Amino acid sequence: MQIDFDLEAPERARIVVAMSGGVDSSVAAALAARTGAEVIGATLQLYDHGEAVKRSGACCAGQDIYDASQVAEQLGIAHYVLDYESRFRSGVIDKFVEEYAHGRTPIPCALCNQGVKFTDLIAFARELGADCLATGHYVRRIVAGGRAELHKGADERRDQSYFLYGTTRDQLDFLRFPLGDLPKPEVRRIAAEVGLEVAAKPDSQDICFVPDGDYAGLVKRIRPETEAPGEIVHVDGRVLGEHRGVVHFTVGQRRGIEVGGQAEPLYVVGIDPAQRRLIVGPRQALAVAAVRVAEWNWLGEDQRDVMLKVRSLARPVPAIRDADGWVRFAAPEYGVAPGQAAVAYDGTRLLGGGWIEETVAADARAAA
């Protein structure tokens, strides 16, 4: 299979490929090599060696760095390992912890893509005189009217566009996504056809720097005060009990509240870390009428009517953007939390997105 990298003369081009050690980025490198261009693999080391060797099944970990180097050797391409540990800690891990400590729901993958994975890697690729940087993301770059657009991946089950909303127009001109039109089974088939040992390697399921899924454990180690107990307060003002630390909860969560004797299931509706309060209520209390979005990044036109996606696994829903930064849903939306991203689409095309700073409950629509 020959993938078009949108290069005028591939045989005279240089492509840098971001290689995490997984099957997706490995196949991206293999497809780049098939163009006849000079291909250079670049892998990020985001942990110190002592920690990295313990981590497997994430990206940018000890075993994964080794896997990336083996794939590069098999493909006959140059391979660099870049030590971005300090940048990753300050730009992603520390912000992740701070967001949790402030009762918000962070998205570290979006932060990582906006920082070390795109900003720094693109700078590295340009320093090498590359014509583009290719990644294994499941998104499509489509040139229309002489301008690059970012679209959802053809396989919607694998689409990663939500995490790439912060991509700038200048970055998109330089980026290539060779897997955008491929389903995952086809990617694994190509890997097996090429004979890559990572063809059957499992996908990572958790945040890369928390491979065991224990987010609370990480936050507690850095911000121990988040484990302090506090009141569980119903939205009607009743104190229902005591929680074991706000670090264990996010908005929309049902499990772990541990308050019995209620007429209906309770969900986390809000978190007040300053008062160490966990605010809970019935599911209808999670209904949100509008969100205030900050730090918008636009790849497309600044449209008023959009389809808005507010969680990575949610479907985009109709919404209207106001000039003051508020976005109002056509119908109440559930499970919306400050700290997450709000990403606007027009069909499959990603228009832009930003961070959710504030929400308005559906029963307080008039107050928005």
Side-chain angles (χ1 to χ4, degrees):
M1 175 181 292
Q2 190 76 17
I3 299 291
D4 184 8
F5 277 73
D6 189 27
L7 298 171
E8 289 186 7
E11 68 280 358
R12 297 195 301 272
R14 176 176 291 167
I15 302 172
V16 170
V17 182
M19 298 180 67
S20 67
V23 64
D24 297 327
S25 61
S26 297
V27 169
L31 293 173
R34 286 183 179 181
T35 66
E38 178 189 1
V39 178
I40 299 172
T43 300
L44 304 178
Q45 180 177 315
L46 303 180
Y47 314 100
D48 64 60
H49 180 71
E51 284 294 311
V53 294
K54 302 174 187 175
R55 301 177 185 270
S56 179
C59 74
C60 314
Q63 180 63 45
D64 303 293
I65 292 172
Y66 174 78
D67 289 344
S69 68
Q70 292 297 104
V71 168
E73 182 177 348
Q74 183 175 354
L75 296 175
I77 65 175
H79 181 243
Y80 291 87
V81 177
L82 308 177
D83 183 358
Y84 283 3
E85 181 190 351
S86 60
R87 299 188 199 186
F88 185 74
R89 176 168 291 279
S90 61
V92 179
I93 297 178
D94 288 348
K95 288 184 178 180
F96 174 86
V97 170
E98 283 300 308
E99 288 285 270
Y100 254 105
H102 285 87
R104 294 160 62 88
T105 305
I107 308 178
C109 293
L111 285 172
C112 186
N113 287 325
Q114 292 172 25
V116 294
K117 278 195 178 171
F118 279 1
T119 303
D120 292 335
L121 263 183
I122 286 177
F124 172 76
R126 291 189 187 278
E127 287 175 6
L128 293 181
D131 295 275
C132 65
L133 171 69
T135 80
H137 288 99
Y138 285 87
V139 293
R140 290 177 293 162
R141 176 184 177 274
I142 297 175
V143 178
R147 181 171 163 181
E149 300 175 349
L150 185 62
H151 287 251
K152 295 179 182 178
D155 185 347
E156 287 217 21
R157 294 170 300 177
R158 294 286 175 176
D159 170 52
Q160 294 171 299
S161 60
Y162 176 81
F163 300 105
L164 301 184
Y165 81 86
T167 306
T168 67
R169 290 177 180 174
D170 181 62
Q171 289 172 342
L172 189 57
D173 286 338
F174 193 71
L175 289 163
R176 299 294 186 272
F177 307 106
L179 307 189
D181 287 309
L182 303 178
K184 184 70 175 216
E186 176 65 9
V187 171
R188 291 200 181 276
R189 187 199 67 76
I190 294 172
E193 177 186 89
V194 177
L196 301 180
E197 291 187 6
V198 297
K201 186 175 181 178
D203 295 330
S204 58
Q205 299 296 321
D206 295 299
I207 295 172
C208 67
F209 56 90
V210 196
D212 60 1
D214 185 11
Y215 312 141
L218 171 70
V219 177
K220 286 187 295 184
R221 286 196 299 273
I222 299 176
R223 295 289 298 270
E225 71 275 13
T226 59
E227 197 177 16
E231 293 179 334
I232 300 176
V233 183
H234 195 278
V235 289
D236 64 13
R238 290 178 293 138
V239 176
L240 302 180
E242 186 175 87
H243 63 76
R244 56 197 175 98
V246 295
V247 68
H248 298 285
F249 301 93
T250 58
V251 171
Q253 182 173 329
R254 178 180 171 184
R255 297 180 61 182
I257 297 176
E258 298 177 355
V259 172
Q262 302 300 307
E264 54 190 335
L266 296 176
Y267 297 80
V268 177
V269 176
I271 298 172
D272 182 351
Q275 301 297 321
R276 302 201 303 273
R277 280 189 186 141
L278 194 68
I279 300 136
V280 301
R283 185 175 184 275
Q284 58 264 33
L286 286 172
V288 168
V291 293
R292 182 171 63 83
V293 182
E295 301 180 39
W296 278 101
N297 174 67
W298 285 99
L299 280 171
E301 296 73 27
D302 191 350
Q303 293 182 199
R304 175 177 169 82
D305 295 309
V306 298
M307 297 294 289
L308 197 71
K309 184 171 183 172
V310 292
R311 298 182 310 282
S312 62
L313 298 179
R315 290 188 175 277
V317 295
I320 299 176
R321 296 180 60 248
D322 290 346
D324 58 2
W326 285 94
V327 186
R328 302 171 190 275
F329 298 109
E333 184 69 2
Y334 291 80
V336 187
Q340 293 181 319
V343 180
Y345 293 87
D346 182 358
T348 64
R349 184 185 179 192
L350 189 152
L351 298 173
W355 298 111
I356 298 174
E357 293 292 332
E358 187 178 352
T359 64
V360 173
D363 61 3
R365 185 186 296 268

